[in-house]
Amino acid sequence: MTAPTQITFFEFLTPLVASGLKTITIRDASENHYLPGSQVEVFTLENHIKVCDIIILAVEPLAFDDINEFHATQESLPLVELKQLIQTVYPNQQALFMISFKLIDASYS
């Protein structure tokens, strides 16, 4: 399987990505194939509008129960809101992945 070259975020989260405030995303096993060191285009989930480019730093396993204030800070969301969002998107999923990234191009925002 080749590494993905695009990633989507809910539209309300894209300003956080484009500003560099959001530096991780938590995904399930179906979205853990990103390759550290690769450049990825960021799009809005709802309208597929390009927002910026990021570089993937790491992809690491993360249990839902281990999500804490560190992850909330990196997601730029309150911990309660982050956990609720993850439960909504990935109901009953304990095995997740943390994808760390950094902003490299926000010229589309």
Side-chain angles (χ1 to χ4, degrees), residues 42-101:
V42 174
F43 289 87
T44 59
L45 176 66
E46 296 85 349
N47 299 309
H48 201 71
I49 297 169
K50 184 167 179 181
V51 177
C52 60
D53 291 342
I54 58 174
I55 191 161
I56 303 298
L57 301 176
V59 179
E60 304 168 81
L62 176 66
F64 178 82
D65 290 342
D66 292 336
I67 297 171
N68 59 38
E69 286 294 338
F70 167 80
H71 303 103
T73 300
Q74 300 305 305
E75 287 268 11
S76 198
L77 290 171
L79 181 58
V80 172
E81 188 177 330
L82 173 60
K83 285 191 152 193
Q84 288 172 342
L85 180 62
I86 291 168
Q87 286 179 326
T88 300
V89 176
Y90 307 116
N92 305 315
Q93 290 281 328
Q94 181 58 228
L96 300 165
F97 291 85
M98 178 178 71
I99 301 170
S100 304
F101 58 86

